[in-house]
């Protein structure tokens, strides 16, 4: 089952002044349960592609279908709702809400979804357990290490039961041990729960764990390799 | 959770929140205290002038109030007049008033001479409570304002000679003993008012015993004035009488109050403009500092409307913290000055007295004044919140997260 389909995606910044062609006709299909790393040098268009797949940015041209829906036709508010219901985000800088505890950060998405409190509480505890942070439930981000914060971010991304998770350089700010822990957690979720992960990364440790590596160069896919683990 | 989130967010930068709340606090505190003192002072003055003498509604012969002539009298039949009254009028107080020269020894001063029904007058103005010397008049003698004693250098039980023009040009002159001295809160009345029994005044001015210059309506509640006025006006439309409320009898008082209130409102406006800039500064910083965070929240699925509401909550919370503390502290202060009015002395006191006002600044503990302040802060913060609303409306998550 295809989770993401892009056809001829182009993205040009500053089209009226000095055009920068960030993506130049990207065709990509991601299937459910994939553990995909999008790699490439800086400026190759990884983040732009991730932003477009995640509905955070719109392509200049091309077709994009996420979860069976053509998201290029959605209004801003519909896109926000779509992201909330279908996509989990993990950012490089964790980006937790600083005034909320670990539990509240995870719960927040479900609150936006209108899920009843009892269900929210149950799922939050399950997710915290899944990322190994049962004992940090009431800690605020500032009281957690970088690795722990990123694990909370993963739990938050999973909270809405999304179709897939987009992770933009998730290990860029982590030490080796935290990186390994995080990758273990994500790989387990992928294997056991069949959650689809798409990363953009420079990190070889992430690339080594990916089962598919898509390489972007100057806005085009230069290679797309499935790796046997 | 939005409330919790907003509440916690405002304490992320404690110093900024406290400074903004403090500016609101000072504005609200000053605005409420000044408004209450101003209102209290005016209420007190109106009470002195209106309730203690003029009454809220009077009936006269047509044109009397303008010319104040003893020749322009109305004929009063108590039984007949009752039919014109609404239930809100508990009694009708008759008066015959004109001007006279009061003379004692070689001192002569102009006074306002009023013939009254002592019992009814007492029920209206509680004049017996303000006796400082002597007794109430019954059927003979004079009650004089305390200031007249000083002006004419006389004392209780002295005889005062009164000279005036009587009805239809008759000479009016007689002498009467001073049987009581009254303190009026209004310095103007204190220095001018001389009262005598109505029958004695009618005899002095040479009028018939059913002729009067004015009827004062004894109204229990100030709020009933419009109803009493309307009833009398429609009922007496065919009679050659004028019905006037205190505002039309003393337009200068109403105008002075309006002028004073307008001045105070301009001050309040300036005060609120200043705090608006303070709040706006905070909002600007808050919006700029958190653009990245807004980008994240929108990315993960928070609708911009909800985010705007959360920001509005934060701004309103900061405003209300300042406003509620300001209201609380000003309530205490206002209550204190309501119970212990500020007594002006020296030049300030003289200036007040020159305008016929008692040199007192009591505060009025008026709940709507406080509620207005809270409402004003709510409106200001809501208006100010349009800026972050605009920023959020234009926000593109990718660009916000780049910063």
């Amino acid at each position: 089952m295809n989770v993401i389909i892009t056809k001829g995606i182009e993205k040009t910044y500053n089209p009226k002044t000095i055009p920068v062609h960030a993506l130049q006709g990207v065709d990509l299909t991601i299937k459910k349960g994939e553990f995909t790393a999008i790699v490439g040098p800086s400026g190759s268009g990884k983040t732009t592609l991730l932003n477009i797949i995640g509905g955070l940015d719109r392509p200049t041209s091309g077709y994009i279908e996420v979860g069976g829906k053509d998201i290029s036709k959605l209004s801003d508010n519909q896109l926000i709702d779509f992201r909330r219901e279908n996509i989990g985000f993990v950012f490089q800088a964790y980006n937790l809400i600083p005034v909320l505890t670990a539990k509240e950060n995870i719960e927040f998405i479900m609150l936006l979804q209108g899920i009843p409190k009892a269900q929210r509480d149950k799922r939050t505890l399950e997710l915290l357990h899944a990322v190994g942070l049962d004992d940090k439930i009431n800690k605020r981000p500032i009281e957690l290490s970088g690795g722990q914060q990123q694990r909370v971010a993963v739990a938050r991304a999973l909270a809405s039961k999304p179709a897939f998770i987009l992770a933009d350089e998730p290990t860029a700010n982590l030490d080796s041990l935290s990186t390994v822990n995080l990758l273990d957690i994500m790989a387990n979720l992928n294997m056991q729960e069949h959650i689809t992960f798409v990363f953009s990364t420079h990190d070889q440790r992430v690339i080594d764990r990916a089962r598919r590596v898509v390489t972007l160069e100057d806005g085009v896919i230069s290679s797309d390799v499935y790796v046997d683990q | 959770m939005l409330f919790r989130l907003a509440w916690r967010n405002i304490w992320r930068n404690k110093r900024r929140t406290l400074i903004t709340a403090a500016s609101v606090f000072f504005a609200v505190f000053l605005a409420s205290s000044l408004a209450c003192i101003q209102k209290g002072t005016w209420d007190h003055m109106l009470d002195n002038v209106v309730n203690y003498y003029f009454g809220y509604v009077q009936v006269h012969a047509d044109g009397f109030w303008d010319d104040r002539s003893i020749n322009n009298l109305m004929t009063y039949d108590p039984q007949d007049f009752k039919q014109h009254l609404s239930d809100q009028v508990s009694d009708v107080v008759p008066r015959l008033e004109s001007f006279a020269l009061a003379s004692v020894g070689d001192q002569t001063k102009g006074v306002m001479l009023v013939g009254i029904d002592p019992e009814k007058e007492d029920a209206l103005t509680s004049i017996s409570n303000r006796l400082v010397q002597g007794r109430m008049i019954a059927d003979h003698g004079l009650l004089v304002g305390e200031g007249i004693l000083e002006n004419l250098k006389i004392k209780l039980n002295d005889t005062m000679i009164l000279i005036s023009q009587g009805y239809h040009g008759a000479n009016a002159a007689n002498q009467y003993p001073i049987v009581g001295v009254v303190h009026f809160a209004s310095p103007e009345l204190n220095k001018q008012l001389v009262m005598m029994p109505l029958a004695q005044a009618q005899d002095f001015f040479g009028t018939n015993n059913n002729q009067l210059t004015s009827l004062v309506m004894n109204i229990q509640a100030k709020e009933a004035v419009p109803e009493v006025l309307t009833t009398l006006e429609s009922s007496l439309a065919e009679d050659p009488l004028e019905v006037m409320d205190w505002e039309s009898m003393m337009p200068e008082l109403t105008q002075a109050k309006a002028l004073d209130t307008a001045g105070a409102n301009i001050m309040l406006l300036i005060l609120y403009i200043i705090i608006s800039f303070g709040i706006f500064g905070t909002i600007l910083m808050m919006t700029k500092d958190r653009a990245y965070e807004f980008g994240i929240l929108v990315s993960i699925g928070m609708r911009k409307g909800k985010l705007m509401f959360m920001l509005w909550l934060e701004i309103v919370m900061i405003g209300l913290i300042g406003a509620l503390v300001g209201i609380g502290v000003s309530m205490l202060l206002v209550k204190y000055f309501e119970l212990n009015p500020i007594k002006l002395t020296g030049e300030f006191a003289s200036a007040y007295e020159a305008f016929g006002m008692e040199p007192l600044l009591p505060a009025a503990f008026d709940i709507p004044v406080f509620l207005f302040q809270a409402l004003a802060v709510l409106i200001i913060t809501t208006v100010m919140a349009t800026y972050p609303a605009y920023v959020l409306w234009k926000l593109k998550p990718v660009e916000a997260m780049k910063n």
Side-chain angles (χ1 to χ4, degrees):
Chain A
M1 182 191 165
N2 294 332
V3 180
I4 301 162
I5 302 170
T6 73
K7 286 180 186 166
I9 291 290
E10 293 188 2
K11 179 69 183 180
T12 306
Y13 294 106
N14 312 321
K16 289 177 184 167
T17 52
I18 307 163
V20 176
H21 303 288
L23 295 176
Q24 305 182 69
V26 174
D27 297 328
L28 180 69
T29 299
I30 306 269
K31 291 191 170 61
K32 182 167 171 58
E34 284 190 2
F35 202 67
T36 303
I38 298 174
V39 302
S42 291
S44 60
K46 302 187 298 291
T47 300
T48 303
L49 179 62
L50 230 61
N51 285 341
I52 288 173
I53 292 171
L56 295 172
D57 204 355
R58 292 177 189 274
T60 308
S61 63
Y63 175 79
I64 171 138
E65 186 184 297
V66 177
K69 194 161 197 164
D70 178 2
I71 64 168
S72 61
K73 291 189 167 63
L74 298 180
S75 69
D76 282 356
N77 267 339
Q78 284 172 328
L79 259 182
I80 292 172
D81 293 345
F82 185 81
R83 288 198 297 267
R84 186 178 63 237
E85 302 300 329
N86 297 283
I87 308 171
F89 289 93
V90 179
F91 302 95
Q92 180 179 334
Y94 329 134
N95 296 329
L96 299 176
I97 302 168
V99 293
L100 298 183
T101 62
K103 177 180 179 286
E104 288 167 339
N105 261 291
I106 296 165
E107 203 184 345
F108 187 66
I109 297 276
M110 290 184 275
L111 190 91
L112 295 175
Q113 289 180 303
I115 293 171
K117 186 169 181 354
Q119 269 177 264
R120 289 200 312 259
D121 285 346
K122 184 169 176 284
R123 181 149 178 79
T124 306
L125 295 178
E126 283 170 2
L127 288 167
L128 276 168
H129 179 71
V131 296
L133 291 173
D134 311 65
D135 57 336
K136 306 291 181 191
I137 184 165
N138 290 320
K139 299 285 183 193
R140 291 199 184 182
I142 200 168
E143 299 169 292
L144 299 172
S145 69
Q148 288 168 335
Q149 286 187 56
Q150 198 61 303
R151 278 146 70 188
V152 175
V154 170
R156 179 179 69 179
L158 289 165
S160 62
K161 297 189 175 169
F164 63 97
I165 287 181
L166 290 179
D168 187 11
E169 308 270 6
T171 57
N173 292 341
L174 300 184
D175 58 41
S176 299
L177 185 61
S178 299
T179 299
V180 171
N181 279 340
L182 187 76
L183 288 171
D184 285 344
I185 287 166
M186 292 198 285
N188 282 340
L189 287 165
N190 172 253
M191 296 295 285
Q192 290 164 12
E193 317 245 345
H194 305 291
I195 293 164
T196 312
F197 281 86
V198 181
F199 308 92
S200 76
T201 187
H202 282 107
D203 191 336
Q204 193 56 46
R205 291 164 299 188
V206 179
I207 298 167
D208 291 345
R209 299 286 289 267
R211 293 205 307 279
R212 181 181 176 189
V213 179
V214 177
T215 308
L216 273 178
E217 276 178 41
D218 297 329
V220 292
I221 294 177
S222 60
S223 74
D224 185 353
V225 180
Y226 285 85
V227 183
D228 288 330
Q229 292 288 323
Chain B
M1 190 185 270
L2 278 185
F3 281 88
R4 204 185 316 161
L5 190 55
W7 178 252
R8 289 182 191 170
N9 274 335
I10 66 174
W11 297 111
R12 279 162 74 174
N13 192 330
K14 285 193 186 74
R15 189 182 299 174
R16 187 164 71 196
T17 297
L18 287 174
I19 289 172
T20 312
S23 74
V24 175
F25 161 78
F26 282 114
V28 167
F29 170 69
L30 285 173
S32 333
S33 306
L34 291 177
C36 284
I37 288 175
Q38 188 196 32
K39 187 172 188 312
T41 306
W42 275 106
D43 285 352
H44 181 68
M45 195 178 76
L46 290 174
D47 204 36
N48 284 346
V49 178
V50 177
N51 214 21
Y52 286 6
Y53 180 67
F54 286 94
Y56 286 102
V57 176
Q58 288 192 12
V59 177
H60 323 111
D62 253 342
F64 169 78
W65 195 253
D66 286 336
D67 61 27
R68 307 287 180 99
S69 166
I70 190 68
N71 293 326
N72 192 4
L73 300 178
M74 61 185 285
T75 305
Y76 174 56
D77 177 349
Q79 291 306 317
D80 180 55
F81 196 80
K82 268 186 187 167
Q83 62 178 310
H84 303 299
L85 300 174
S86 79
D87 298 340
Q88 300 292 331
V89 179
S90 59
D91 204 358
V92 177
V93 183
R95 285 179 186 164
L96 179 67
E97 59 187 65
S98 188
F99 300 98
L101 286 173
S103 185
V104 178
D106 57 356
Q107 300 283 331
T108 302
K109 295 276 179 193
V111 295
M112 195 167 121
L113 181 60
V114 187
I116 59 168
D117 178 325
E119 266 184 37
K120 287 177 185 283
E121 194 71 34
D122 196 32
L124 176 74
T125 63
S126 309
I127 197 166
S128 60
N129 292 342
R130 280 175 275 132
L131 267 176
V132 289
Q133 292 180 51
R135 58 173 172 81
M136 271 295 282
I137 45 172
D139 53 4
H140 189 66
L142 300 175
L143 272 182
V144 300
E146 205 176 14
I148 294 174
L149 251 65
E150 290 166 23
N151 283 347
L152 290 175
K153 298 184 175 50
I154 52 174
K155 57 185 187 303
L156 186 70
N157 296 325
D158 280 357
T159 297
M160 179 182 277
I161 297 166
L162 293 169
I163 305 161
S164 185
Q165 182 190 307
Y167 186 51
H168 285 170
N171 280 331
N174 210 336
Q175 58 181 21
Y176 305 96
I178 298 167
V179 299
V181 178
V182 182
H183 169 79
F184 289 100
S186 159
E188 200 74 7
L189 293 175
N190 225 23
K191 289 170 186 168
Q192 288 187 1
L193 204 60
V194 174
M195 292 176 163
M196 62 168 60
L198 182 61
Q200 183 181 300
Q202 286 166 332
D203 179 57
F204 176 74
F205 287 113
T207 70
N208 294 330
N209 60 5
N210 61 351
Q211 285 183 305
L212 303 169
T213 53
S214 39
L215 285 172
V216 184
M217 302 304 117
N218 190 347
I219 301 167
Q220 293 310 312
K222 186 181 170 185
E223 293 70 32
V225 169
E227 184 199 320
V228 172
L229 197 67
T230 312
T231 311
L232 279 170
E233 277 173 343
S234 61
S235 177
L236 296 172
E238 302 297 315
D239 295 291
L241 298 172
E242 63 186 14
V243 182
M244 300 179 83
D245 64 356
W246 67 273
E247 285 174 313
S248 49
M249 283 189 286
M250 290 170 287
E252 66 286 350
L253 205 60
T254 320
Q255 285 160 7
K257 184 182 177 186
L259 193 67
D260 192 42
T261 308
N265 286 344
I266 290 170
M267 286 294 295
L268 284 186
L269 187 68
I270 293 169
L271 206 59
Y272 277 123
I273 288 173
I274 292 168
I275 65 157
S276 297
F277 278 109
I279 293 173
F280 191 62
T282 299
I283 289 172
L284 269 180
M285 287 187 274
M286 190 190 262
T287 311
K288 184 80 183 157
D289 287 356
R290 289 165 62 192
Y292 183 86
E293 178 186 327
F294 298 154
I296 297 295
L297 288 170
V298 173
S299 298
I300 63 173
M302 188 173 191
R303 275 200 168 198
K304 289 178 181 177
K306 236 173 205 164
L307 194 48
M308 284 175 199
F309 177 66
M310 187 187 79
L311 270 181
W312 176 80
L313 275 179
E314 290 179 23
I315 297 160
V316 166
M317 277 174 178
I318 294 175
L320 284 184
I321 289 170
L324 293 177
V325 177
I327 288 171
V329 175
S330 61
M331 272 180 162
L332 292 174
L333 188 83
V334 165
K335 195 70 197 169
Y336 175 80
F337 283 121
E338 186 188 44
L339 300 171
N340 307 283
I342 302 165
K343 284 182 182 148
L344 297 177
T345 54
E347 283 181 15
F348 284 113
S350 308
Y352 265 69
E353 284 181 345
F355 284 99
M357 295 187 278
E358 196 179 13
L360 270 185
L361 296 180
F365 194 84
D366 193 34
I367 296 295
V369 169
F370 301 110
L371 291 180
F372 175 79
Q373 306 308 323
L375 186 68
V377 169
L378 196 67
I379 291 170
I380 288 170
T381 47
T382 302
V383 171
M384 294 290 118
T386 53
Y387 173 74
Y390 172 76
V391 170
L392 285 177
W393 187 251
K394 305 286 281 181
L395 180 129
K396 294 194 186 314
V398 172
E399 285 171 19
M401 287 191 291
K402 269 184 195 163
N403 298 319

